[in-house]
Amino acid sequence: MTKDKELEIQMQFLEEATDYLNTLEGVLLEIDISKRIELEHINAAMRAAHSIKGGAAMMGFRVLSDLAHKLEDAFKVLKTQKDSLELDTHLQSLLLSSVDWLRQIVELLAKGNNLDDSWLRKFCYPVFDELYERLGEPTPENITTLLSSEDDTEIIPLLFETEVEEYLQHLEARLKNSNKSGLRVELVMMATELSGLGEMLQLTAFTKLCQSVSHYLETYPDSCLEIANLALKAWRQSQTLVLSNQRGNLPTRIDFGEVIHDLPPISSNQQDYLLHKSAISDFDLLENVELSPESADRVSTSENLPIDYKYTERKSDINSLPKERENQENTVRVPSKHLEKINDLFGEVIIQRNGLNVQMERLRKLVRNLSQRVQILDQENQELRTAYAKIITHNHGNQEVENNFIEQDSYQKLNLLSQNVMETIVQVAEVTSDIQLSVDDTDQIARKLNKTSKQLQRQLTQVRMRPFSDLVERFPRAIRDLNVEYGKNVQLKIEGGNTLIERGILEALNEPLMHLLRNAFDHGIEDPITRKKQGKSEQGLIEMKAVYHSNRTIITIRDDGQGISLEKIRHRALKMGLDDSLLASASDEDLLSLIFEPGFSTSEQVTALSGRGVGMDVVRNNLKLARGDVNVDTQAGVGTKFTLSVPFTLSVARVLLVESDRLVLAFFTDVIEEIFLLEQEQIFSQNGKEFINWQNNQLPLLRLNSYFEFNCSRYNNLELETLPIINAISVLIVKHDHQQVAVQVERCWGEQEVAIRQVEGNIPLPSGFNNCTILGDGRVVPLINTNDLVSWITKNERPHISNKLPTTRLQTAFLKPPKVPTINQPSRQKSIILIVDDSINVRRYLALTLEKGGYQVEQAKDGQEALEKLESGLQVQAVICDIEMPRIDGYSFLERINNNTELRNIPVAMLTSRSSSKHRQLAMQLGAKAYFSKPYNEQELLRTLEEIIFQIAETTLIGNS
């Protein structure tokens, strides 16, 4: 179980890494337009590379982590030299190639393949080496450039993280040294320089703090050691507050009150002297500054806000890119196989819902029949009473008086019995009425269930949808590479990127769209010189657009190139042996449909660009898998437009139920243009084929009962719960691509919304069908494959009939997730650990480790959510926290935990990709009990966690006693 879960989380991370790579690629592609990169986009790219680096290290993908680190360094150089560095095509290609290699490594890892070191050294590493030779190491910045190009909310934490840290580390080392000679002089110089830094950054409170240190040193020279320790403490506190975005609470003087009281104020002359001493070179201050993306994430919102409301907000990655990364706060990653399983279960709900509707219709019929029978019984009882009364009256006139009393007595008994029958009839009528009311109530519930299931269907369909941008987001990169390789100037414009398309349909569209895009670039768009001669813009244009129309999704690909030559199509068709007379009478639409035939091409040369000899038939064949079709419209010298039409969803569809040869069959309603009664005079024969006239067109007639043969029993009396909508021989006008055929059926039983079911096993459906559905009464109905019908008609073929059972591949059913083995709890009682990290994959991966150690796990996506859970009463034994997170980061989280009397005893361990000593020291100074860097050692983490948990618990217990 554990291995499987770990693998699943690793695969989830690799999917997340792909999103980061898309962000990187989007940033780099904007260079084509402006020859520069916006600062916020460089920051987004650095964060994306940093996230891949940290996550890959956590998952054990060391090569991926190292290469992402190199790419992160490259973007650091781009940031520091963005105004002077020339972003030419070669540098852009190097950066894009680096992203490509990361993507290829991610794909290999996702497939479970090992990375061959010799292959990496020969092909991959040289790209990153060349990138390093071109850009070099990230270098320090000139302070003037830095301050003029960066927000002070970024530079201030950066300086306190680097420059101030060096001063404080030096002071700590000095205080640990037994030799204190010269300490006062060094401390005066340090206070003076830090005061100048505070003045430059306009941190008045920090400047006053440093001035107070200088004042005390001059006033009380014999208390140098005490002042040094107090200064170190105050400067560390100031550093912590700056890094946790709480600059409004900086101390203004050291706490020297226990040593002396009523200190004289610092005079203006002393302040002038200190400021004069602090006038040091800006270049000296930034000698060792390295601009890092993490500092850009620490953005103080306002210095006037209360401490509780001052937390950092992570900036949007790329505001103007075509596709923004989804906000992880509102999204959940779910394996596609789970969605497919849910979709299959929903299909069962649809079938059972239809079954309930069938049963309700049967029940309504039974109630109607019962009501009719009660009425008939009441009527017959009345007739019986009337008839008997007449008999009694007739006999009374013919018989003697002595017999009257006997007959009268018999009549009274019969009348009493008739009244009893009448009362029973009334009672049955009342029960019938109650049943009718109950049926009506149940019918209302069934209607609500139908409504709810439709809403659920829409929501589930939305979950299975992916935006069109997921499919085309790499197309701009493809066009850019083609422009560079073939010397063309083509712009790709994409509209409708937010149009949602079902995942299965999206995958089926991938190859056709890429083929059409490359074909438009190669055959459609002319070279710049030719376009200029024709009076066109030198830059060609390809437009892709996705929209909804009725219950289908329409995707168009339009170019402003030279168009498709119909004469070339005719010429090619003649060379392939097509009939000259047919070609002469063919419409433009008919001719254009030929380009989708296998092996058909008007190009004189086979090129690697537009298909490597593979024709446009790949477009049509892939669309068939998604029940789609394609149309072409072209105009010489103006351009060509391909229109692809696919259904909104493949899992649930509306079908028309028809009867043919005493069998029920189903057509998708979106392929049916019209239904009408078949008149014999409409049929005529030509060349041994049957046709009918429809809207001034001659359409071939296909009689289903003569095409389909089944080795199964027929229904002697085919009846469904509802009456047929057309109880006579009818014709369906069925359209596929550009062709229409007339299909004869015996009866039409109406439309239904049904779930589509795959046919699995060794006995496949006969030719002419694809998949099936199940009606509410349990009847399995095959779905007609319109493609086969059109193919049979156009090629004058009939389906191959054989008594042998063809063999097919068995499809693999959904694998059930393995059962989670029970983990034996250790002897010491373990409780809940709170994991705080903004990456869901890191949280899940760490949760597996903790669960193996016997802990329960609670998760939070950042410090803000963690505090909310703890303050609302969540009881935990410890917290494992990342540093870099949106809203409240790890440092701020530690600060707030320690300031809360109810939470300060909870041990907090930091787990981060930041492995430098300065980050570790800062975390420990803020109260962290342990510090781990990614990737962590599992046994070490569990051992340390147990130590700090029970050590704190024992300390608290002793303190309370």
Side-chain angles (χ1 to χ4, degrees), residues 204-218:
T204 305
F206 188 71
T207 300
K208 289 181 179 180
L209 172 65
C210 298
Q211 291 172 351
S212 74
V213 173
S214 299
H215 174 67
Y216 291 139
L217 286 172
E218 292 183 5

Side-chain angles (χ1 to χ4, degrees), residues 614-781:
V614 179
M616 294 285 285
D617 58 307
V618 67
V619 176
R620 185 170 60 185
N621 292 337
N622 279 41
L623 285 172
K624 284 181 181 179
L625 300 176
R627 292 187 5 237
D629 54 47
V630 57
N631 293 326
V632 191
D633 183 22
T634 189
Q635 187 174 351
V638 177
T640 303
K641 182 177 76 169
F642 288 88
T643 303
L644 285 64
S645 173
V646 292
F648 187 70
T649 178
L650 294 177
S651 54
V652 177
R654 291 198 67 81
V655 298
L656 174 69
L657 299 178
V658 301
E659 177 184 344
S660 176
D661 199 16
R662 293 178 295 158
L663 288 175
V664 179
L665 307 173
F667 280 87
F668 291 108
T669 56
D670 55 11
V671 302
I672 299 175
E673 293 198 338
E674 190 175 330
I675 307 174
F676 54 87
L677 295 177
L678 178 62
E679 303 290 342
Q680 191 63 34
E681 55 269 19
Q682 292 177 293
I683 305 174
F684 63 94
S685 297
Q686 183 177 332
N687 298 326
K689 297 180 182 179
E690 289 186 318
F691 294 84
I692 65 169
N693 285 313
W694 178 75
Q695 295 184 357
N696 298 323
N697 292 320
Q698 295 181 358
L699 301 183
L701 176 64
L702 186 148
R703 301 179 187 263
L704 282 183
N705 56 5
S706 62
Y707 271 80
F708 291 144
E709 294 187 20
F710 297 97
N711 295 321
C712 64
S713 58
R714 305 295 201 275
Y715 295 96
N716 293 325
N717 185 18
L718 179 61
E719 292 294 340
L720 301 180
E721 295 305 321
T722 57
L723 296 174
I725 59 172
I726 302 179
N727 194 13
I729 295 177
S730 308
V731 171
L732 313 180
I733 303 300
V734 177
K735 182 179 180 180
H736 177 72
D737 286 343
H738 301 284
Q739 296 170 312
Q740 296 167 322
V741 297
V743 179
Q744 178 211 299
V745 296
E746 276 77 30
R747 288 193 286 182
C748 294
W749 289 93
E751 294 184 23
Q752 278 195 22
E753 186 177 68
V754 296
I756 308 302
R757 281 288 175 262
Q758 300 288 332
V759 177
E760 301 180 2
N762 288 324
I763 305 179
L765 282 171
S767 299
F769 298 94
N770 58 350
N771 305 327
C772 68
T773 187
I774 302 175
L775 300 185
D777 60 1
R779 198 181 323 224
V780 178
V781 176

Side-chain angles (χ1 to χ4, degrees), residues 344-360:
D344 283 348
L345 291 174
F346 177 72
E348 294 297 327
V349 171
I350 294 294
I351 293 171
Q352 293 164 15
R353 181 199 70 185
N354 292 341
L356 175 62
N357 293 337
V358 168
Q359 294 301 322
M360 286 300 302

Side-chain angles (χ1 to χ4, degrees), residues 62-90:
R62 174 51 58 189
V63 172
L64 180 61
S65 178
D66 292 343
L67 294 178
H69 192 178
K70 292 182 178 181
L71 190 57
E72 180 186 10
D73 286 344
F75 278 102
K76 287 181 181 179
V77 176
L78 289 178
K79 181 172 183 177
T80 58
Q81 302 180 26
K82 60 185 175 63
D83 294 328
S84 59
L85 188 65
E86 182 183 358
L87 295 173
D88 54 22
T89 301
H90 179 64

Side-chain angles (χ1 to χ4, degrees), residues 192-444:
T192 303
E193 292 177 357
L194 290 177
S195 175
L197 178 63
E199 190 71 24
M200 181 188 68
L201 298 177
Q202 299 181 355
L203 293 178
T204 305
F206 188 71
T207 300
K208 289 181 179 180
L209 172 65
C210 298
Q211 291 172 351
S212 74
V213 173
S214 299
H215 174 67
Y216 291 139
L217 286 172
E218 292 183 5
T219 308
Y220 303 96
D222 295 335
S223 302
C224 175
L225 185 60
E226 292 83 354
I227 295 173
N229 282 294
L230 290 173
L232 177 62
K233 180 180 178 181
W235 283 333
R236 278 295 182 196
Q237 182 185 3
S238 298
Q239 183 193 43
T240 299
L241 291 170
V242 168
L243 294 181
S244 58
N245 303 308
Q246 300 182 49
R247 280 181 278 159
N249 299 280
L250 295 178
T252 57
R253 60 193 297 170
I254 60 175
D255 188 10
F256 206 52
E258 297 180 1
V259 180
I260 48 113
H261 301 280
D262 301 324
L263 290 172
I266 300 176
S267 67
S268 59
N269 292 333
Q270 289 173 317
Q271 289 185 6
D272 292 339
Y273 170 74
L274 291 173
L275 290 176
H276 174 73
K277 293 266 292 182
S278 67
I280 60 176
S281 169
D282 292 346
F283 296 98
D284 295 336
L285 281 173
L286 284 179
E287 182 177 351
N288 296 312
V289 171
E290 177 186 348
L291 195 61
S292 58
E294 56 269 24
S295 63
D297 290 341
R298 301 193 183 96
V299 182
S300 177
T301 56
S302 172
E303 294 195 5
N304 298 320
L305 291 177
I307 295 178
D308 290 343
Y309 295 95
K310 291 179 65 178
Y311 52 83
T312 178
E313 288 283 357
R314 191 179 293 269
K315 289 184 177 179
S316 174
D317 281 337
I318 303 179
N319 295 326
S320 60
L321 287 181
K323 176 178 178 284
E324 296 183 359
R325 286 208 65 218
E326 294 174 326
N327 183 357
Q328 292 209 5
E329 181 181 354
N330 300 322
T331 61
V332 177
R333 291 184 180 273
V334 180
S336 58
K337 67 176 183 179
H338 292 173
L339 289 179
E340 294 302 327
K341 184 64 175 178
I342 294 173
N343 189 67
D344 283 348
L345 291 174
F346 177 72
E348 294 297 327
V349 171
I350 294 294
I351 293 171
Q352 293 164 15
R353 181 199 70 185
N354 292 341
L356 175 62
N357 293 337
V358 168
Q359 294 301 322
M360 286 300 302
E361 184 60 31
R362 288 177 178 173
L363 191 56
R364 283 190 288 267
K365 285 183 178 179
L366 291 174
V367 172
R368 287 196 296 269
N369 290 339
L370 181 58
S371 298
Q372 292 173 0
R373 298 293 172 84
V374 171
Q375 292 176 1
I376 292 173
L377 183 60
D378 180 48
Q379 181 181 350
E380 290 176 348
N381 182 62
Q382 293 293 342
E383 292 175 354
L384 178 62
R385 288 169 59 85
T386 302
Y388 190 77
K390 289 181 179 180
I391 293 174
I392 291 296
T393 303
H394 177 73
N395 291 338
H396 181 71
N398 297 330
Q399 295 181 354
E400 297 180 355
V401 178
E402 57 268 17
N403 295 328
N404 288 344
F405 291 104
I406 298 175
E407 293 176 357
Q408 185 69 23
D409 183 60
S410 299
Y411 176 77
Q412 289 178 349
K413 290 181 179 180
L414 183 60
N415 185 55
L416 181 61
L417 181 61
S418 176
Q419 288 179 350
N420 291 337
V421 171
M422 177 63 68
E423 289 181 4
T424 301
I425 291 173
V426 170
Q427 292 172 353
V428 171
E430 290 176 351
V431 172
T432 303
S433 178
D434 291 342
I435 294 175
Q436 180 65 58
L437 291 174
S438 179
V439 169
D440 291 342
D441 291 341
T442 306
D443 188 54
Q444 289 296 322

